[in-house]
């Protein structure tokens, strides 16, 4: 198949950037979207131009490193699918595809489609963990957890940290990302002890990073490759208010 | 002759004896000791976090944009531990025996026993961190079985066990970053190791965003940079996985052990075209309920569901009735290759076999299968567009895990004092074939439970060294070396990208140093790789500049792969026997099973770098079996 690409090109953080148009003549519909970009880059390389920089690594939907806006949608047209798991069979012959980086104040563009998502790391570092040192753990079966509880915690823990939720949110809110970690921890007995300090510091850090507020449009859940539910945001708000009320 | 320095005494006392006598570092002194950890997968994150908790000054480096992307994240099926929760006869000894047998008696007894011994504690640690392992309805932890064993000892978190274990380690790491004990350097790639007076004293890294080179000094350096299976280009690994950190350390004097032992995983998705960049793995856990078969008739054209039961060849069940579809990976992969080469392969390129769930769905119901493997079936459908609840999956062998790696002693220290290698980056525990669900285990155990003790034993003598001065001439020389290397890559200005050479190398290795190897093939491969390397240094084209530039990153890694690939072939050529994943066609039984030669090859090969174009120098570490008797590995 033949496709026309409009790709965001930006040399570095200071460069204002612009859209560039490329045409690819011979695309196999079974190619993954990123393999299509590989093909584009091979073409650019042969022309002596600088290939398009884009983030990717595992190419099996789990590392969370890939992530671009495709025709205005985070990770493209399929539901619950990362960019790397998208295949060209989801596009039509002669289609024009617009490719842009994930955009948010807290995710500055580094080059072309590569963005800086280290803000997420700082949110986790502020409290997204259970404070247990190596060697302190009790026998695993001494903490029985009901299967539905652990499955619910898993649903939240499945987040891959790709940032699609932020990119698709009109306020660039990281509420879904942050709440998923808070939910994962608070749904488990091991994580309950630190629930109050965790939620307060993570929410504060999230705000300090320049992420916006959640206004409940639920666009994040719709685009999340891991189907993380917005109900976690409700739980985060509940936990946050509880922590503020009970603050010593 | 290399000495692994394994403690004397009964197998079950070696590790506790070591721990009881290892040197310690006073808490007040730990802050003065600096440790560099390269890699943030399970091994890297867990050692960095553990050392940070103890109070050492730690610097953690990864090439990804955040530590959580490290490829441990992609391990699907599970992690082994001999908790014996299933009451099915598991024990430390049995796990040790399964692992050493699974590795075809080409691993050290002391190391393997220690891994089994520490396995139970890992589950405790992970649960305490909040890893949501699968549970039974009573709230207790559940297990599944995995290839190569007859007990259920695999703990799992759906099909995302690696992700959940890694997130546990990542969160422990970020906790230390927040506490200030660990400094994090994401998007920094190690370029060289700095050795002063024979000891590892630091690294040169490249900031991948700005292109600047930086010097970092330390009293000890840990390489936890994973495996190099991506050398085959098409593999189950992430695109960025590479062997560069260990290779540059090798060129500074660290020996490479058993480099040719690569696990080819039996259940990956087949290649569908030349453009392909990656072969996605389907967890081995699928073999618990899936049955593997090919049509009995060559050039079969019918759809799989139209082929009647009696015209299907369930070749694993036929050849290995005791273990059947759960035969170890090397055996399952080789059996698949045998059928494919004999003309029974299926799919458009005739390069695959079927993995069929119809019986399991009939017996257990679709819901139960969905609960166990739902995410894998979804992933399969996304990639292939096929619903595997209705028709069998197509699977094929793919390069997966490096059993080989940097040679380390019992303390996980390489031949360079102060340089440690953990997880897949070392060669230590899996012998010639790794059992499923042992890689997460080894990476975690190395980082949480072994290196914190063995590194303290080394660091205890480093207190008197004082701070490491990065103005030392060795740092300047190493930095200059890196600069020249990058300049050379940029300066060729040929007409072929790094990927071209990577793909060509992958083809040579897969054909001649993959599932089966022969003397002629390996000799030819060495010649071809040498030619390819020459062509690389004449025709490579790296567009762009020295700052953020993926093509430059790839070029550096491929330059290393071209040297490492040749070493793999030398190793495979030297080992004139078949063992585990290393199958020399000259050494097989009439039924096509691997034939070991214990008399001549019961040793670990450890190679010393001699220079480009020169034959590497072989050192041997003999294997002693005091507690088990090597037997013919049979899964029949």
């Amino acid at each position: 198949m033949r496709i026309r690409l409009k790709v965001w090109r930006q040399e570095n953080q200071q460069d204002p950037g612009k859209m560039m148009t490329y045409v690819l003549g011979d695309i196999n519909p079974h190619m993954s979207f990123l393999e299509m970009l590989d093909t584009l880059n091979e073409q650019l390389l042969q022309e002596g131009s600088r290939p398009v920089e884009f983030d990717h690594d595992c190419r099996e939907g789990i590392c969370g490193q890939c992530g671009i806006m495709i025709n205005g949608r985070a990770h493209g047209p399929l539901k619950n699918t990362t960019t790397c798991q998208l295949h060209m069979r989801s596009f039509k012959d002669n289609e024009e595809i617009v490719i842009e980086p994930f955009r948010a104040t807290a995710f500055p563009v580094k080059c072309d489609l590569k963005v800086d998502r280290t803000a997420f790391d700082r949110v986790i570092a502020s409290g997204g963990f259970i404070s247990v040192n190596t060697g302190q753990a009790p026998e695993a079966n001494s903490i029985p957890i009901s299967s539905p509880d652990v499955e619910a915690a898993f649903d939240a823990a499945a987040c891959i940290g790709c940032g699609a939720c932020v990119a698709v949110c009109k306020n660039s809110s990281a509420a879904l990302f942050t709440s998923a970690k808070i939910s994962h921890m608070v749904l488990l007995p091991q994580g309950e002890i630190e629930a109050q300090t965790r939620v307060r510091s993570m929410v504060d850090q999230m705000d300090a990073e320049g992420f916006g507020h959640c206004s409940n449009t639920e666009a994040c859940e719709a685009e999340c490759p891991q189907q993380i539910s917005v109900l976690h945001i409700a739980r985060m708000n509940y936990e946050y208010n509880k922590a503020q009320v009970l603050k010593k | 002759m290399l000495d692994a320095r394994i403690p004397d005494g009964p197998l079950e006392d070696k590790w506790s004896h070591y721990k009881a006598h290892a040197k310690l570092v006073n808490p007040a002194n730990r802050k003065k000791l600096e440790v560099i950890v390269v890699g943030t997968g399970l091994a890297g994150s867990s050692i960095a976090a553990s050392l940070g908790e103890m109070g050492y000054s730690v610097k953690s480096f990864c090439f990804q944009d955040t530590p959580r992307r490290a490829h441990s994240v992609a391990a699907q099926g599970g992690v082994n531990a001999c908790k014996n929760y299933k009451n099915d006869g598991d024990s430390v000894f049995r796990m040790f025996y399964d692992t050493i047998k699974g590795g075809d008696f080409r691993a050290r007894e002391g190391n393997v026993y220690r891994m089994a011994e520490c396995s139970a504690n890992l589950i405790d640690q992970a649960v305490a961190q909040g890893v949501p392992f699968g549970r039974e309805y009573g709230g207790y932890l559940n297990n599944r079985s995995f290839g190569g064993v007859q007990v259920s000892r695999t703990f799992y978190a759906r099909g995302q066990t690696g992700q959940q274990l890694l997130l546990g380690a990542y969160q422990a790491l970020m906790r230390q970053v927040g506490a200030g004990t660990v400094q994090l350097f994401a998007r920094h790639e190690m370029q060289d190791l700095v050795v002063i007076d024979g000891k590892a004293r630091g690294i040169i890294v490249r900031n991948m965003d700005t292109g600047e080179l930086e010097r970092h000094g330390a009293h000890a350096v840990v390489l936890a940079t994973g495996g190099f299976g991506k050398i085959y280009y098409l593999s189950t690994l992430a695109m960025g996985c590479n062997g560069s950190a260990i290779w540059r350390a090798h060129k500074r004097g660290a020996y490479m052990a058993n480099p040719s032992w690569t696990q080819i995983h039996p259940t990956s998705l087949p290649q569908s075209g030349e453009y392909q960049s990656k072969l996605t793995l389907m967890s081995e856990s699928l073999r618990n309920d899936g049955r593997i078969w090919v049509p009995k008739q060559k050039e079969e054209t019918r759809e799989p569901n139209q082929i009647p039961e009696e015209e299907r060849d369930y070749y694993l069940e036929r050849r290995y009735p005791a273990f059947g579809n759960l035969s170890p990976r090397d055996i399952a992969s080789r059996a698949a290759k045998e059928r494919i080469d004999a003309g029974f392969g299926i799919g458009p390129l005739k390069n695959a076999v079927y993995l069929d769930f119809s019986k399991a769905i009939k017996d257990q119901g679709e819901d139960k299968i969905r609960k166990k493997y739902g995410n894998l079936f979804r992933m399969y459908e996304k990639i292939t567009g096929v619903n595997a609840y209705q028709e069998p999956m197509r699977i094929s062998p793919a390069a997966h895990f490096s059993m080989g790696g940097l040679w380390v002693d019992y303390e996980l220290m390489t031949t360079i004092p102060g340089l440690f290698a953990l997880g897949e980056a070392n060669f230590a525990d899996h012998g010639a074939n790794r059992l499923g669900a042992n890689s997460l285990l080894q990476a975690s155990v190395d980082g949480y439970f072994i290196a914190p003790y063995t590194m303290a034993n080394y660091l205890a003598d480093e207190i008197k060294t004082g701070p490491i001065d990065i103005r030392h001439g060795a740092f300047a020389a190493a930095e200059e070396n890196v600069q020249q290397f990058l300049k050379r890559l940029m300066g060729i200005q040929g007409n072929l990208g790094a990927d071209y050479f990577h793909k060509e190398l992958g083809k040579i290795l897969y054909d001649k140093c993959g599932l089966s190897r022969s003397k002629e093939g390996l000799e030819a491969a060495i010649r071809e790789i040498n030619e390819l390397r020459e062509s690389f240094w004449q025709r490579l084209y790296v567009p762009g500049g020295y700052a953020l530039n993926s093509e430059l990153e790839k070029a550096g890694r491929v330059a290393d792969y071209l040297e490492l690939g040749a070493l793999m072939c030398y190793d495979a050529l030297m080992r004139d026997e078949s063992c585990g994943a290393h199958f020399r066609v000259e050494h097989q039984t009439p039924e096509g099973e691997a034939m070991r030669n214990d008399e001549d090859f019961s040793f670990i090969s450890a190679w010393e770098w001699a220079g480009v174009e020169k034959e590497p120098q072989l050192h041997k570490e003999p294997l002693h079996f005091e507690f088990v008797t090597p037997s013919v590995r049979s899964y029949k």
Side-chain angles (χ1 to χ4, degrees):
Chain A
M1 53 199 273
R2 182 181 168 280
I3 48 164
R4 225 173 117 84
L5 298 173
K6 286 193 144 173
V7 185
W8 182 258
R9 301 302 307 261
Q10 179 175 343
E11 283 294 320
N12 52 45
Q13 221 163 310
Q14 288 72 43
D15 180 29
K18 58 173 188 274
M19 298 300 284
M20 296 276 284
T21 304
Y22 305 100
V23 177
L24 288 177
D26 188 19
I27 291 297
N28 185 318
H30 294 300
M31 267 183 191
S32 73
F33 194 84
L34 297 184
E35 284 162 354
M36 181 275 290
L37 286 182
D38 292 342
T39 310
L40 167 67
N41 277 348
E42 182 57 38
Q43 186 174 311
L44 290 173
L45 189 135
Q46 288 306 328
E47 292 165 6
S49 335
R50 186 174 68 79
V52 178
E53 291 288 345
F54 62 95
D55 271 318
H56 64 104
D57 201 23
C58 79
R59 298 203 175 186
E60 53 182 290
I62 194 71
C63 79
Q65 187 146 312
C66 67
I68 39 183
M69 298 300 279
I70 302 167
N71 291 336
R73 292 190 61 183
H75 292 303
L78 294 187
K79 269 184 88 71
N80 317 128
T81 304
T82 54
T83 305
C84 64
Q85 298 287 79
L86 179 66
H87 286 72
M88 295 312 292
R89 63 179 94 92
S90 296
F91 298 89
K92 290 190 289 284
D93 195 17
N94 287 316
E95 190 168 337
E96 180 173 274
I97 306 174
V98 181
I99 305 174
E100 289 174 273
F102 279 180
R103 291 190 193 279
T105 311
F107 288 173
V109 175
K110 292 202 283 199
C111 182
D112 299 338
L113 306 171
K114 266 186 153 92
V115 297
D116 180 350
R117 286 167 289 188
T118 49
F120 273 3
D121 285 333
R122 292 185 291 272
V123 171
I124 296 295
S126 72
F129 46 75
I130 291 168
S131 298
V132 54
N133 281 0
T134 304
Q136 289 175 344
E139 155 60 38
N141 259 348
S142 65
I143 321 170
I145 309 171
S146 82
S147 181
D149 282 351
V150 89
E151 294 300 316
F154 187 104
D155 287 338
C159 169
I160 57 174
C162 64
C165 49
V166 174
V168 76
C169 175
K170 61 179 182 176
N171 298 338
S172 301
S173 168
L176 193 68
F177 170 80
T178 310
S179 69
K181 190 44 65 189
I182 286 166
S183 251
H184 163 209
M185 298 285 163
V186 83
L187 286 167
L188 296 170
Q190 305 95 300
E192 240 181 317
I193 299 160
E194 296 171 277
Q196 292 178 27
T197 50
R198 175 183 306 117
V199 70
R200 281 211 309 270
S201 47
M202 287 182 75
V203 169
D204 288 351
Q205 187 64 39
M206 178 174 82
D207 292 344
E209 293 293 345
F211 292 110
H213 282 279
C214 169
S215 51
N216 297 312
T217 67
E218 304 187 6
C220 52
E221 179 180 325
E223 296 292 31
C224 173
Q226 294 294 85
Q227 297 176 270
I228 309 280
S229 160
V230 290
L231 292 178
H232 298 301
I233 301 179
R235 184 179 286 109
M236 173 174 74
N237 291 338
Y238 165 77
E239 292 290 335
Y240 185 77
N241 290 333
K242 190 164 83 176
Q244 292 297 64
V245 169
L246 297 175
K247 194 166 159 184
K248 292 196 182 86
Chain B
M1 197 92 83
L2 282 164
D3 180 9
R5 297 190 295 151
I6 295 176
D8 290 332
L11 198 53
E12 55 278 14
D13 294 343
K14 286 182 193 293
W15 181 230
S16 47
H17 187 265
Y18 175 89
K19 283 192 290 184
H21 294 86
K23 281 175 262 182
L24 300 172
V25 179
N26 172 344
N29 277 332
R30 292 180 197 157
K31 203 170 169 27
K32 296 177 211 157
L33 292 168
E34 293 181 279
V35 178
I36 282 170
V37 180
V38 186
T40 57
L42 262 174
S45 287
S46 58
I47 186 62
S50 300
L51 293 175
E53 289 160 8
M54 287 192 277
Y56 295 97
S57 295
V58 182
K59 287 180 178 175
S60 162
F61 296 83
C62 66
F63 74 80
Q64 297 90 343
D65 68 341
T66 143
R68 66 182 293 158
R69 317 271 189 232
H71 200 56
S72 303
V73 78
Q76 297 168 353
V79 56
N80 287 332
C82 53
K83 286 281 199 184
N84 196 29
Y85 284 163
K86 287 283 182 187
N87 198 26
D88 56 0
D90 204 1
S91 65
V92 175
F93 188 86
R94 194 174 295 271
M95 185 168 173
F96 152 75
Y97 187 78
D98 286 342
T99 304
I100 213 148
K101 176 188 169 192
D104 215 356
F105 301 95
R106 288 289 177 265
R108 291 179 195 142
E109 287 181 319
N111 281 62
V112 175
Y113 192 89
R114 177 176 64 181
M115 181 171 81
E117 190 180 341
C118 296
S119 67
N121 203 212
L122 171 65
I123 303 305
D124 303 338
Q125 183 67 29
V127 166
Q129 289 172 342
V131 172
F133 285 127
R135 288 178 185 258
E136 311 212 39
Y137 282 97
Y140 295 106
L141 289 154
N142 202 357
N143 293 121
R144 55 169 60 138
S145 33
F146 242 64
V149 300
Q150 289 172 314
V151 295
S152 288
R153 66 162 73 100
T154 307
F155 293 79
Y156 63 94
R158 292 190 201 158
Q160 287 156 246
T161 317
Q163 182 204 22
Q164 294 306 315
L165 279 173
L166 181 67
L167 290 180
Y170 158 73
Q171 287 159 201
L173 172 68
M174 294 315 292
R175 175 170 161 247
Q176 293 310 308
V177 171
T181 62
V182 178
Q183 273 180 280
L184 184 63
F185 297 84
R187 289 202 43 83
H188 279 67
E189 188 162 33
M190 174 175 151
Q191 300 289 318
D192 206 350
L193 179 76
V194 180
V195 180
I196 301 175
D197 297 332
K199 285 182 173 180
R201 287 300 187 206
I203 57 173
I204 306 295
V205 292
R206 177 171 172 272
N207 178 326
M208 295 155 78
D209 289 338
T210 64
E212 280 160 32
L213 298 182
E214 300 170 10
R215 305 173 184 184
H216 294 273
H219 297 90
V221 176
V222 179
L223 300 185
T225 52
F228 49 86
K230 184 72 192 165
I231 196 169
Y232 292 85
Y233 191 74
L234 284 177
S235 79
T236 65
L237 278 79
M239 301 303 286
C241 286
N242 65 80
S244 287
I246 61 171
W247 190 251
R248 311 253 168 120
H250 174 63
K251 290 169 88 168
R252 289 277 174 198
Y255 293 179
M256 282 286 289
N258 304 329
S260 69
W261 292 351
T262 306
Q263 179 161 79
I264 311 283
H265 197 291
T267 54
S268 149
L269 299 187
Q271 184 182 8
S272 58
E274 271 298 309
Y275 52 80
Q276 195 137 347
S277 57
K278 149 104 191 177
L279 297 173
T280 301
L281 184 70
M282 288 282 118
S283 168
E284 168 165 310
S285 62
L286 291 169
R287 290 200 275 143
N288 271 305
D289 288 300
R291 298 177 73 199
I292 293 175
W293 62 276
V294 290
K296 282 186 178 164
Q297 190 185 310
K298 278 189 197 180
E299 306 297 324
E300 178 63 75
T301 51
R302 288 172 291 179
E303 290 298 309
N305 287 340
Q306 279 151 13
I307 301 174
E309 195 62 27
E310 60 278 8
E311 291 178 41
R312 300 175 175 192
D313 177 15
Y314 295 92
Y315 58 87
L316 282 175
E317 296 171 26
R318 168 171 60 79
R319 287 179 65 180
Y320 308 101
F323 282 69
N325 295 296
L326 283 176
S327 298
R329 291 179 178 174
D330 54 339
I331 287 179
S333 289
R334 222 148 39 223
K337 181 179 157 61
E338 189 274 328
R339 285 290 84 187
I340 291 168
D341 289 350
F344 296 94
I346 52 98
L349 301 180
K350 302 277 173 212
N351 60 351
V353 299
Y354 289 122
L355 177 63
D356 192 333
F357 293 88
S358 55
K359 184 169 184 300
I361 289 171
K362 208 167 126 201
D363 293 351
Q364 304 171 36
E366 193 173 313
D367 277 353
K368 202 152 178 206
I369 297 300
R370 193 181 301 276
K371 188 154 184 282
K372 284 197 241 185
Y373 313 112
N375 67 319
L376 298 170
F377 278 60
R378 252 198 320 279
M379 184 155 101
Y380 185 80
E381 185 163 5
K382 271 180 197 168
I383 297 171
T384 62
V386 173
N387 177 348
Y389 295 102
Q390 282 160 13
E391 63 177 276
M393 290 182 180
R394 284 183 199 147
I395 55 159
S396 182
H400 182 54
F401 184 91
S402 319
M403 274 80 71
L406 288 179
W407 184 90
V408 289
D409 62 13
Y410 189 70
E411 297 189 298
L412 305 182
M413 189 150 78
T414 66
T415 47
I416 300 174
L419 179 70
F420 293 78
L422 271 58
E424 194 177 344
N426 74 30
F427 85 101
D429 298 334
H430 307 296
N433 172 54
R434 177 176 65 75
L435 289 184
N438 266 356
S439 64
L440 290 176
L441 174 68
Q442 186 226 339
S444 306
V445 159
D446 281 2
Y448 285 121
F449 304 125
I450 299 173
Y453 289 92
T454 63
M455 290 186 70
N457 189 50
Y458 175 81
L459 289 166
D461 292 333
E462 286 294 323
I463 298 158
K464 54 185 183 301
T465 306
I468 304 300
D469 186 359
I470 56 167
R471 290 165 303 179
H472 189 285
F475 277 94
E479 190 181 316
E480 175 63 22
N481 178 42
V482 174
Q483 231 149 26
Q484 290 306 325
F485 175 75
L486 295 172
K487 248 191 208 156
R488 207 177 144 206
L489 290 172
M490 295 290 280
I492 304 166
Q493 293 290 315
N495 58 355
L496 293 167
D499 281 343
Y500 166 81
F501 296 98
H502 196 170
K503 287 178 186 175
E504 290 299 307
L505 174 66
K507 280 181 209 154
I508 299 173
L509 286 174
Y510 193 80
D511 285 348
K512 305 194 169 83
C513 194
L515 273 167
S516 63
R517 294 122 185 235
S518 69
K519 182 169 183 287
E520 294 69 39
L522 290 163
E523 284 168 349
I526 292 171
R527 277 195 308 276
E528 289 167 29
I529 293 171
N530 285 339
E531 283 163 21
L532 188 64
R533 194 184 57 245
E534 275 169 32
S535 150
F536 173 88
W537 287 107
Q538 284 161 10
R539 300 187 61 193
L540 175 73
Y541 173 48
V542 181
Y546 284 93
L548 196 152
N549 185 348
S550 299
E551 287 298 319
L552 180 58
E553 294 158 21
K554 285 195 278 190
R557 295 167 189 165
V558 174
D560 293 332
Y561 278 145
L562 285 163
E563 293 171 0
L564 172 55
L567 179 66
M568 288 168 67
C569 296
Y570 279 115
D571 185 54
L573 184 61
M574 175 281 299
R575 193 167 283 276
D576 197 12
E577 66 159 351
S578 296
C579 61
H582 171 70
F583 190 74
R584 283 283 296 264
V585 294
E586 299 95 334
H587 302 285
Q588 54 181 315
T589 63
E591 299 91 55
E593 305 296 340
M595 262 170 67
R596 248 180 22 231
N597 174 354
D598 288 343
E599 202 161 308
D600 298 320
F601 291 97
S602 185
F603 64 83
I604 288 156
S605 61
W607 297 91
E608 184 182 352
W609 174 251
V612 188
E613 307 271 337
K614 295 210 176 92
E615 267 196 45
Q617 197 188 336
L618 175 67
H619 301 264
K620 293 179 185 177
E621 179 203 329
L623 287 165
H624 303 289
F625 292 94
E626 288 178 69
F627 306 95
V628 298
T629 312
S631 57
V632 174
R633 188 163 154 253
S634 168
Y635 293 92
K636 284 184 188 281

